Amino acid sequence: MERTLSSETLEKVGQKVKLLGWAATIRDHGKITFVDLRDRKGIIQCVGQDFPKITAESVIEVTGEVAKRPENLINKNIPTGEVEVKVEKVTVLTKSIELPIPIEGDGLEIEEPARLKYRYLDLRRPRMTRNLRVRSKLTSFIRNWLTERDFVEVETPILTKTTPEGARDFIVASRLQPGKFYALPQSPQQYKQLLMVAGLERYFQIARCFRDEDPRADRAYGEFTQLDLEMSFVSQEDILQLTEELFTSLVKEVFPEKKVSTSPWPRISHKEAKEKYGNDKPDLRKDKNDKNELAFAWIVDFPLFTEQTKEDFFHGAGNAKWAPSHHMFTAPHPDDTPLLDKDPGQVRGLQHDLVLNGFEVGGGSVRIHDPEIQEKIFDLIGFTKEQKEEFAHMLTAFSYGVPPHGGIAPGIDRFLMVVLGEPSVREVMAFPMTAGGQTAVMDAPSEAAEKQLKELGIKTSSK
Ligand code: ASP
């Protein structure tokens, strides 16, 4: 007999079916037992007399007839609440021992390390399963929408060289060149610009980025995902419009219950945002209690530089006067270019931040395509000769005909966190790390074998 999914039982009243799934709850009333079977579509009540001994969360196969429930026993809380399956046979396919964490409810009261250690159980919660499904719907919507508009999806390397976005790098040792290291990309920024030199004109990637920076509710430790996007022969206006169209269509399609409060999205200069709201990611919702309201906004006209601090070691020597507000490839406003020599603090950058309900959910810019200006920026952020050499490939590439280009990178995890009203980005990621940098389920980081270290030419001093 073919398998029937829980959601299909409604159309099969009077028919014999075979169900496969987990015994989510078992209510043994002596003579009669009720088992809620859970599969990927939801749950269905199974009722019978001679049940074998089953433990909760065991995987079972049930055969029986679908019957309408009597009026007074209809459960309005579940989609299959009008029917149940009169069990003829139950087979236990695999048995479950007692679960280490409860999986009913939203799980937010459970210590996060325990949830992450048993993430495969934690993900059985309907809320978590829904989050993963919505995430998949969102990325497939984005892929379709962009490819229909002539964008090309390109995978860029993970083992690469530093691409600074303002955090520390993760580094990976090289066996073939002992003593040398790859860096994991903080973003595909340089590759996407090189793809513009390659003539692709329209690129995107659902890209994994790696940043060694302290975790917060809206920032996972280690890795996150962004929609990375770049276009050639465009103005900042074109980038903002395309992004706005994409997200407006996406909300309509994937989150039809949500409403965007102001359209077109307000555009606010960085200065105005600071003066009026005291920050550069204002929450512009009209009713903050309305969980369906989405208030998008653009923040533009950022200063190109901020004052450099010791923490900016990844943005130069750490002792220069200036650090980039966005990143070192962001173009100065053309009207302000002469000020680069005279008064760099007054130069505006062609940067744009995407803000949603008080969170920065994306950022991007028009890029520098003039090698001379790029050099000037390197000097202003205090790059040494060696540091400049790290980026020499960009200047070389730009000497072979570079189109004017720009882009943006909205964060997928953060956008989902805000739209779904989740308290942290980890609630929309399948296997995030703990705050202490421990991977979910598996015990990484872990020690490497002496032999591996020797091959890599590494001696550790921590033992
Ligand atoms: N690479 C930038 C980031 O990750 C985004 C961009 O400028 O397109 O924030």
Side-chain angles (χ1 to χ4, degrees), residues 92-207:
V92 176
L93 302 182
T94 58
K95 197 170 160 269
S96 171
I97 60 171
E98 198 183 327
L99 300 193
I101 52 165
I103 60 168
E104 305 84 47
D106 65 14
L108 293 172
E109 71 295 346
I110 306 169
E111 297 259 314
E112 209 176 19
R115 287 182 62 200
L116 293 176
K117 179 167 181 199
Y118 298 103
R119 189 57 151 188
Y120 46 89
L121 299 178
D122 194 52
L123 292 176
R124 286 186 186 173
R125 274 172 226 295
R127 179 176 65 90
M128 296 303 283
T129 313
R130 176 210 58 185
N131 289 359
L132 293 187
R133 282 180 180 277
V134 169
R135 186 179 176 123
S136 161
K137 233 174 150 177
L138 174 131
T139 48
S140 79
F141 179 89
I142 290 174
R143 282 204 164 93
N144 290 337
W145 198 91
L146 289 171
T147 44
E148 276 165 17
R149 284 158 183 78
D150 217 17
F151 279 81
V152 183
E153 183 172 11
V154 182
E155 292 165 83
T156 53
I158 296 296
L159 291 175
T160 178
K161 201 172 169 154
T162 187
T163 284
E165 294 279 1
R168 284 180 178 76
D169 284 325
F170 282 98
I171 61 171
V172 178
S174 154
R175 178 179 63 84
L176 296 181
Q177 297 183 47
K180 293 200 173 161
F181 298 86
Y182 303 96
L184 305 184
Q186 293 186 35
S187 85
Q189 184 61 38
Q190 295 183 72
Y191 286 112
K192 69 173 171 176
Q193 293 193 240
L194 294 172
L195 288 169
M196 297 302 106
V197 179
L200 248 73
E201 295 195 23
R202 295 188 144 207
Y203 142 94
F204 83 98
Q205 178 177 197
I206 309 285

Side-chain angles (χ1 to χ4, degrees), residues 15-35:
Q15 293 178 34
K16 196 164 164 176
V17 296
K18 176 171 105 181
L19 300 161
L20 293 165
W22 285 259
T25 49
I26 302 156
R27 297 179 299 280
D28 186 348
H29 293 298
K31 262 196 158 150
I32 189 161
T33 303
F34 293 90
V35 171

Side-chain angles (χ1 to χ4, degrees), residues 278-324:
N279 62 62
D280 56 9
K281 37 180 197 281
D283 186 346
L284 301 177
R285 278 176 295 176
K286 291 173 183 141
D287 174 4
K288 301 213 168 64
N289 293 317
D290 180 355
K291 59 182 190 357
N292 284 327
E293 183 176 354
L294 298 178
F296 288 96
W298 288 112
I299 311 296
V300 291
D301 283 340
F302 281 78
L304 186 63
F305 299 107
T306 56
E307 300 242 343
Q308 194 168 115
T309 65
K310 277 255 171 314
E311 298 296 300
D312 284 317
F313 61 87
F314 28 71
H315 275 149
N319 53 17
K321 184 143 186 340
W322 304 109

Side-chain angles (χ1 to χ4, degrees), residues 163-165 186-190 192-193 209 211 224 226-230 326-327 330 352 360 362-367 406-410:
T163 284
E165 294 279 1
Q186 293 186 35
S187 85
Q189 184 61 38
Q190 295 183 72
K192 69 173 171 176
Q193 293 193 240
C209 303
R211 297 184 192 177
F224 65 91
Q226 65 185 18
L227 160 62
D228 196 44
L229 196 145
E230 196 76 5
H326 184 45
H327 54 56
T330 298
H352 34 261
E360 181 201 323
S365 60
V366 171
R367 323 300 181 188
I408 188 165

Side-chain angles (χ1 to χ4, degrees), residues 402-421:
V402 54
H405 60 286
I408 188 165
I412 300 282
D413 317 285
R414 203 177 283 174
F415 174 75
L416 275 169
M417 174 193 89
V418 178
V419 177
L420 293 171

